Amino acid sequence: MRYYGILCSLTLCLSTYAFAQDQGAQAPTTPPAAAPADAPPPTAWTYKGFSASGYVDVYYNQNENNPSSRFSQLQALNITANKFSLNSATASFSYDANPVGFRVDVGDGRTYDSFFLSEPKHTDWSRHLLNAYVTLKPKGWKGVTVDFGKFVTSAGAEVTESHLNWNYSRSLLFAFGPYYHTGLRVTVPVTPTWSVGGQAVTGWNLMRDTNSGKTFGFTSLNTLKKVVVANNYYTGPENANTNKGWRNFYDLAVTVTATDKISAYYNLDIGNSKYVGGGSGTFWGMASAARFALTKHLAVSPRIEYYSDKDGFWTGTPQAFKEFTGTGEWKFNDSFIARIEYRRDWSDQPFFQVGQIPGASKHQTMITAGFMMVLRPGMFSF
């Protein structure tokens, strides 16, 4: 419980500090970690509402357990070990909804491999699509936006694009949460700082549903001067070939920008998935991270987590994890970003592969170097 208290106290202190600041303060220059829906395309070339851009993300991950499978467990996207890998090479295209628009992100790399793991083989054609949806936003609808297609999830404090996060690797909460959905989503602005939304989708990480039921999502986003609070709830049948056994999942992400150099977030996930034959698997976790901009080019970002898979729903073994990550970032400009990262994962059970022996260790240590290049006009202006 001491660990939980540290996380909660950090968030509470930062939130209190942020609300106490002068309401006339300038907008922070450090982007928030939390992005409750798909992040906007990177700074792009635009022409009459049409935008085009992209990014390339490569990394080397040294796993000190030296697994013979060359697979780093618990990693969401940078899943390979002890070799150079392409995390993502993505081209982004969009057209502003006036009243009809679209967004397509297409590419290749380990990110796309990870996204595709739960897809059936008959959807091979979709494996290179990160986002692919049509947007409807008539002027008379007072800001109401309707999207239909494939889109990344609204849940989580981190996003798919590495360069938009503070740490290079994704959290355990990201790894064990939904990645994307396919279907319909509606976003309704209630006030200038508060919007709500509803979704009817095929489920978690599926283009084509494996049953006739639908998963429903409910979202709320409060964007204040220094605090962003995102609440997300997904519920629906997630067992294949049956509508019995619903999965319920709640996600809270609070991002606090204390100053233009210091930011932090707190993320909480709670879920339960019922089995067809009775019983259920319960899982929950919390994470907290901070970003300290030391100079215009240099930043450091620590992250700590706790995750309980007490029924072995995700991993097949009832266990609890702890994780610490420390990331150093050198930002040449908005287009060229390099990161070096130390990460250690612990389990209370022997879970991690060592050499050729699975489940030989309770811990895993990794050192990762990542380099990201964001395509944009003037990208070679340093």
Side-chain angles (χ1 to χ4, degrees):
M1 295 303 294
R2 181 180 299 175
Y3 184 85
Y4 313 152
I6 293 173
L7 289 172
C8 295
S9 298
L10 173 63
T11 304
L12 179 60
C13 290
L14 285 170
S15 299
T16 304
Y17 175 84
F19 277 118
Q21 297 301 297
D22 180 8
Q23 295 300 301
Q26 294 180 351
T29 58
T30 302
D38 46 318
T43 306
W45 289 271
T46 60
Y47 179 74
K48 295 184 177 180
F50 177 79
S51 299
S53 188
Y55 55 92
V56 178
D57 175 8
V58 297
Y59 70 95
Y60 181 86
N61 183 349
Q62 180 64 39
N63 189 320
E64 297 304 311
N65 286 352
N66 294 311
S68 59
S69 63
R70 291 205 169 185
F71 177 78
S72 289
Q73 295 162 275
L74 302 183
Q75 306 308 292
L77 306 181
N78 53 308
I79 55 179
T80 55
N82 300 1
K83 62 178 180 179
F84 286 100
S85 296
L86 173 66
N87 199 349
S88 180
T90 298
S92 301
F93 307 95
S94 64
Y95 185 78
D96 295 340
N98 189 26
V100 180
F102 69 85
R103 175 169 175 179
V104 175
D105 294 69
V106 58
D108 198 10
R110 295 304 182 187
T111 293
Y112 293 85
D113 295 340
S114 299
F115 269 44
F116 192 70
L117 288 176
S118 61
E119 288 278 11
K121 292 183 178 180
H122 56 252
T123 56
D124 279 353
W125 58 272
S126 70
R127 70 174 298 139
H128 298 290
L129 294 174
L130 193 65
N131 289 289
Y133 58 84
V134 175
T135 299
L136 180 64
K137 191 177 181 180
K139 292 182 178 180
W141 286 12
K142 298 181 180 181
V144 175
T145 304
V146 178
D147 298 317
F148 180 77
K150 179 181 181 181
F151 40 82
V152 296
T153 188
S154 298
E158 297 173 320
V159 295
T160 307
E161 299 88 342
S162 297
H163 59 279
L164 297 180
N165 294 312
W166 298 341
N167 303 102
Y168 186 80
S169 67
R170 303 308 184 277
S171 63
L172 299 174
L173 272 65
F174 185 103
F176 293 131
Y179 292 178
Y180 66 91
H181 310 283
T182 305
L184 179 74
R185 69 178 176 188
V186 180
T187 304
V188 181
V190 180
T191 71
T193 61
W194 179 38
S195 64
V196 298
Q199 303 177 13
V201 297
T202 56
W204 289 31
N205 309 337
L206 291 169
M207 280 287 290
R208 182 176 296 181
D209 215 339
T210 57
N211 56 38
S212 60
K214 294 293 176 282
T215 291
F216 300 96
F218 305 92
T219 67
S220 172
L221 177 64
N222 293 82
T223 306
L224 307 175
K225 286 186 179 297
K226 291 182 177 291
V227 181
V228 178
V229 181
N231 287 277
N232 299 278
Y233 181 72
Y234 287 94
T235 181
E238 295 293 338
N239 293 310
N241 304 316
T242 179
N243 292 336
K244 296 181 179 180
W246 278 43
R247 182 182 302 169
N248 293 281
F249 177 75
Y250 169 71
D251 170 83
L252 166 69
V254 180
T255 304
V256 179
T257 305
T259 72
D260 60 352
K261 296 183 181 299
I262 303 175
S263 301
Y265 76 73
Y266 172 76
N267 193 192
L268 171 69
D269 282 355
I270 303 173
N272 177 271
S273 193
K274 297 186 180 300
Y275 303 123
V276 176
S280 65
T282 298
F283 46 91
W284 72 275
M286 58 173 64
S288 187
R291 185 178 191 273
F292 302 94
L294 305 180
T295 69
K296 178 181 178 181
H297 300 285
L298 182 63
V300 293
S301 300
R303 180 181 66 206
I304 54 175
E305 291 187 84
Y306 176 86
Y307 197 94
S308 172
D309 187 20
K310 69 173 188 175
D311 299 312
F313 178 79
W314 293 117
T315 61
T317 300
Q319 60 187 312
F321 298 102
K322 295 178 182 178
E323 179 262 324
F324 170 77
T325 296
T327 307
E329 175 185 281
W330 180 262
K331 190 173 184 180
F332 300 90
N333 61 19
D334 289 337
S335 287
F336 297 95
I337 304 169
R339 290 182 185 151
I340 185 74
E341 180 171 283
Y342 169 87
R343 172 168 173 161
R344 187 172 177 87
D345 297 282
W346 296 267
S347 173
D348 59 5
Q349 301 294 325
F351 176 73
F352 299 100
Q353 181 180 8
V354 179
Q356 297 182 351
I357 306 174
S361 176
K362 290 185 177 182
H363 56 80
Q364 172 182 260
T365 301
M366 293 174 296
I367 298 176
T368 304
F371 182 78
M372 295 142 281
M373 179 178 67
V374 183
L375 306 178
R376 66 177 182 87
M379 59 186 294
F380 293 104
S381 299
F382 293 93

